């Protein structure tokens, strides 16, 4: 599975086009073949989370980006189901508040970063600032940015600076111990349509559907261009993107679990070794306890 997943890793040096990335890929696997595999990886990831906490040198930030109905929420709940809630926090970023708009666009995301030893999950992220704002640049006017008084002021130089800000932000984090995994769940337009219809037809899923989802669907091609550009501009060796097929949710979840587990193993986490003095105190404590 690991070799298959590497096909969807984007590090910035290669030519990348979203249209060349399949949305229905499954690598020859079948759903029934992966149930046990996913369960085992969830168990292993939970053990690695404990080692991450004990080691206390790294934080893990997992970013999920996707079009509506691509399966972000389900992927998060399934792949991270075995984690200790005390060591993991999920943030779902909606429209920025008035307070957040009074700060730079990275401020609210910086506040939500995980501490060393912990795992943070961002369901949507700072990338919304080069995605939805790219498709709807009028939203940038709410940020009250210097020199941006009208949509016409948002030029190529503006976007170049914003991509540079994101690269610098992520480099700063990775240089200082925060390991970042970035997932784009690549769902097809037809699969999204089918999932929207399921939400409408199933009373228990009606709450997931919004009329605005259909409105945003009209901008599909614009969003694909925005995602492609963002992935191209912000993929690096130390902070790559994983553009994962999302038409088959079960494959997406196995791919995500594989990448998370492989990343944690790559950190070579170690449990602390007590100095001799502390070990001696443990032995004394043991004697007292053994004596009743």
């Amino acid at each position: 599975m690991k070799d298959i997943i590497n096909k969807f890793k984007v590090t910035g040096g290669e030519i990348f086009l979203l249209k060349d990335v399949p949305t229905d890929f499954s690598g020859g696997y079948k759903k029934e073949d992966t149930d046990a595999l996913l369960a085992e990886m969830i168990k292993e990831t939970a053990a690695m989370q404990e080692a991450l906490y004990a080691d206390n040198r790294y934080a893990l930030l997992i970013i999920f980006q996707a079009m509506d109905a691509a399966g972000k929420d389900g992927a998060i709940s399934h792949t991270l189901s075995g984690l200790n809630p005390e060591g993991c926090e999920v943030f779902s970023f909606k429209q920025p508040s008035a307070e957040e708009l009074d700060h730079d666009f990275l401020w609210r995301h910086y506040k939500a970063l995980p501490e060393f030893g912990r795992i943070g999950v961002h369901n949507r992220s700072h990338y919304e600032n080069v995605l939805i704002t790219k498709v709807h640049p009028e939203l940038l006017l709410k940020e009250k940015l210097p020199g941006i008084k009208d949509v016409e002021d948002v030029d190529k130089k503006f976007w170049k600076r914003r991509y540079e800000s994101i690269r610098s932000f992520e480099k700063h984090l990775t240089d200082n111990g925060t390991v970042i995994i970035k997932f784009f769940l690549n769902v097809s337009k037809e699969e999204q349509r089918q999932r929207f219809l399921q939400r409408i037809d199933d009373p228990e899923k009606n709450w997931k559907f919004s009329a605005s989802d259909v409105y945003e669907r009209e901008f599909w091609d614009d969003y694909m261009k925005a995602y492609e550009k963002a992935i191209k501009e912000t993929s690096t060796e130390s902070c790559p993107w994983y553009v994962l097929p999302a038409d088959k949710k079960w494959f997406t979840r196995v791919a995500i679990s594989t990448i998370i587990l492989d990343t944690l193993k790559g950190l070579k986490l170690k449990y602390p070794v007590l100095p001799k003095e502390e070990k001696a105190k443990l032995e004394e404590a043991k004697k007292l306890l053994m004596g009743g």
Side-chain angles (χ1 to χ4, degrees), residues 96-126:
S97 67
E99 180 189 19
E100 290 165 345
L101 287 170
D102 277 337
H103 294 79
D104 70 89
F105 79 94
L106 290 171
W107 180 74
R108 66 173 180 160
H109 305 286
Y110 203 98
K111 288 204 311 174
L113 291 174
E115 303 167 7
F116 292 142
R118 294 172 62 87
I119 297 173
V121 179
H122 289 188
N123 185 350
R124 300 194 187 279
S125 67
H126 49 285

Side-chain angles (χ1 to χ4, degrees), residues 224-242:
M224 292 300 101
K225 290 177 182 177
Y227 269 109
E228 188 172 275
K229 182 66 173 175
I231 292 168
K232 282 181 179 179
E233 291 289 338
T234 61
S235 294
T236 63
E237 285 289 343
S238 61
C239 199
W241 274 95
Y242 291 91

Side-chain angles (χ1 to χ4, degrees), residues 156-191:
K156 290 183 179 179
K157 289 183 179 179
F158 171 84
W159 294 116
K160 183 179 179 180
R161 290 194 299 270
R162 186 149 282 199
Y163 294 129
E164 184 178 355
S165 293
I166 290 175
R167 288 195 302 271
S168 297
F169 172 61
E170 293 178 352
K171 184 178 186 304
H172 171 74
L173 294 180
T174 55
D175 285 349
N176 288 277
T178 297
V179 179
I180 303 173
I181 305 175
K182 300 184 291 192
F183 293 120
F184 172 55
L185 308 190
N186 190 27
V187 71
S188 66
K189 191 175 183 180
E190 174 58 22
E191 180 64 22

